[in-house]
C-alpha cells in the first residue's frame, strides 16, 4: 500500500507550483492514500491530489485559510496507526520531545508532521516520526531556503519502507529507509 | 488470474522506487502487470 506524505507547499504565497519533475513522477493509479501535513495552502492543490488517489486527507497548517481542515488526524492504514499534525503547535519547531508527546497523546505508531521544511525519518523506541519537508522548497519561517522534497510510505504488514524524494539541482534523488512496527503500541 | 502479480524486491532506490517510470524498474513492471491483469479481468 502506497501512501504519499506531502506538505508545506505554501502555494501561492511563497511558491507558484509543485516542481515539474515532481508532477511528472506523480501519476494516477499508483498511490492509495495522500496525507497532507498542512500549509498546502490552496484548495486547488487538494483537488489536484484527488486526481492522483482515492483518499486525500489533510490537516490545517498555520497558513491554511480553510477552517474546515482538522488540526490533527488519526487513522489506521494496514497494520499501522497513523497520526498527522502540521507541527506549528510545537515549539521550538520540530522539537523531538514535543513531537513524542503528541505521538503519545494520539497513541499512534507513526506521527507525520511538517512545519520545519526539513525532511526527517527516525524512530524512538519503535515509534516512527516522519517529516516530508516542503514539496515546493518554500522558505521556512526563518526565511531559510529548503530542498523540495516529499515522502512515499510503502506499508506491508508490520514493515514500512519510506522513500524520500528530493530535488537537488533539478535532479530527483531517492533515498530509502525501513522501519518495523512496534507491536506493543496497538496492544496497549 | 486470481494470482497477484509478483511484488518487486527493490534494489537501487533511484531506479527501483514506486514512482519510477523507467522500463527496467521492477515497480514499473509491477504496475504494468497489474494494469494488464485488470484489463483481462474486465474482458473475461
Amino acid at each position: 500500500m502506497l501512501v504519499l506524505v506531502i506538505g508545506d507547499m505554501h502555494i501561492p504565497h511563497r511558491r507558484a507550483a509543485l516542481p515539474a519533475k515532481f508532477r511528472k513522477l506523480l501519476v494516477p493509479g499508483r498511490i492509495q492514500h495522500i496525507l497532507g501535513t498542512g500549509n498546502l495552502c490552496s484548495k486547488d492543490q487538494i483537488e489536484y491530489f484527488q486526481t492522483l488517489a482515492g483518499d486525500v486527507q489533510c490537516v490545517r497548517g498555520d497558513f491554511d485559510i480553510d477552517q474546515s481542515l482538522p488540526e490533527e488526524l488519526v487513522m489506521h492504514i494496514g497494520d499501522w496507526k497513523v497520526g498527522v499534525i502540521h507541527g506549528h503547535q510545537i515549539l521550538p519547531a520540530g522539537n523531538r520531545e514535543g513531537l513524542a508527546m503528541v505521538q503519545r497523546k494520539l497513541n499512534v505508531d507513526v506521527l507525520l508532521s511538517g512545519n520545519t521544511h526539513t525532511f526527517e525519518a527516525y524512530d524512538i523506541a519503535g515509534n516512527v516520526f516522519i517529516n516530508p519537508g516542503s514539496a515546493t522548497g518554500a522558505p521556512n519561517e526563518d526565511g531559510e531556503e529548503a530542498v523540495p522534497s516529499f515522502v512515499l510510505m510503502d506499508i506491508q504488514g508490520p514493515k514500512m519502507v519510506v522513500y524520500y524524494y528530493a530535488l537537488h539541482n533539478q535532479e530527483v534523488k531517492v533515498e530509502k529507509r525501513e522501519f518495523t512496527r512496534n507491536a506493543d503500541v496497538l496492544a496497549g | 488470474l486470481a494470482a497477484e502479480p509478483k511484488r518487486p524486491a527493490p534494489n537501487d532506490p533511484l531506479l527501483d522506487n514506486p514512482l519510477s517510470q523507467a522500463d527496467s524498474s521492477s515497480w514499473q513492471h509491477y504496475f504494468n502487470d497489474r494494469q494488464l491483469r485488470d484489463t483481462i479481468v474486465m474482458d473475461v
Side-chain angles (χ1 to χ4, degrees):
Chain A
M1 180 132 42
L2 294 175
V3 184
L4 176 70
V5 186
I6 196 161
D8 288 300
M9 288 148 70
H10 291 272
I11 295 172
H13 313 109
R14 299 187 197 169
R15 283 288 185 271
L18 201 62
K21 296 236 163 150
F22 281 175
R23 289 180 81 102
K24 226 174 136 187
L25 281 177
L26 299 168
V27 290
R30 293 202 174 188
I31 299 158
Q32 278 82 41
H33 302 273
I34 298 181
L35 302 177
T37 54
N39 282 355
L40 293 186
C41 289
S42 79
K43 220 176 159 188
D44 296 4
Q45 293 308 311
I46 294 181
E47 284 167 7
Y48 162 64
F49 288 142
Q50 281 165 345
T51 66
L52 301 175
D55 177 46
V56 179
Q57 297 190 61
C58 190
V59 292
R60 188 157 60 90
D62 45 352
F63 285 87
D64 283 314
I65 302 157
D66 188 351
Q67 297 290 320
S68 67
L69 295 172
E71 280 280 316
E72 59 195 34
L73 277 168
V74 176
M75 74 207 76
H76 288 274
I77 298 179
D79 287 1
W80 293 70
K81 194 174 172 191
V82 182
V84 192
I85 57 160
H86 174 251
H88 61 268
Q89 304 88 339
I90 288 156
L91 290 169
N95 179 267
R96 288 192 175 198
E97 277 105 47
L99 288 168
M101 263 169 66
V102 175
Q103 175 268 321
R104 285 195 295 273
K105 190 188 97 186
L106 300 178
N107 190 27
V108 290
D109 303 311
V110 50
L111 181 69
L112 311 172
S113 66
N115 194 31
T116 61
H117 298 205
T118 310
F119 163 74
E120 285 207 81
Y122 56 91
D123 72 304
I124 297 177
N127 302 307
V128 182
F129 296 83
I130 297 173
N131 183 330
S134 165
T136 54
N140 65 11
E141 303 297 85
D142 302 325
E144 294 158 353
E145 289 292 316
V147 175
S149 66
F150 66 85
V151 160
L152 194 67
M153 305 191 298
D154 180 17
I155 294 177
Q156 295 293 321
K159 288 225 178 288
M160 173 163 73
V161 183
V162 172
Y163 292 90
Y164 161 63
Y165 293 79
L167 199 61
H168 290 281
N169 302 321
Q170 291 305 307
E171 200 90 36
V172 179
K173 297 259 159 69
V174 187
E175 274 176 48
K176 196 178 105 173
R177 284 179 207 178
E178 287 188 41
F179 297 99
T180 308
R181 189 172 70 82
N182 182 353
D184 304 336
V185 178
L186 278 191
Chain B
L1 285 179
E4 275 284 313
K6 199 170 173 264
R7 240 193 136 73
N11 295 319
D12 176 17
L14 191 60
L15 189 72
D16 254 333
N17 67 76
L19 298 179
S20 173
Q21 288 155 39
D23 290 338
S24 52
S25 156
S26 44
W27 281 93
Q28 175 74 3
H29 280 268
Y30 169 74
F31 286 111
N32 284 346
D33 290 350
R34 204 176 66 173
Q35 202 177 12
L36 178 67
R37 194 188 51 139
D38 289 348
T39 311
I40 294 170
V41 168
M42 226 186 306
D43 290 346
V44 169

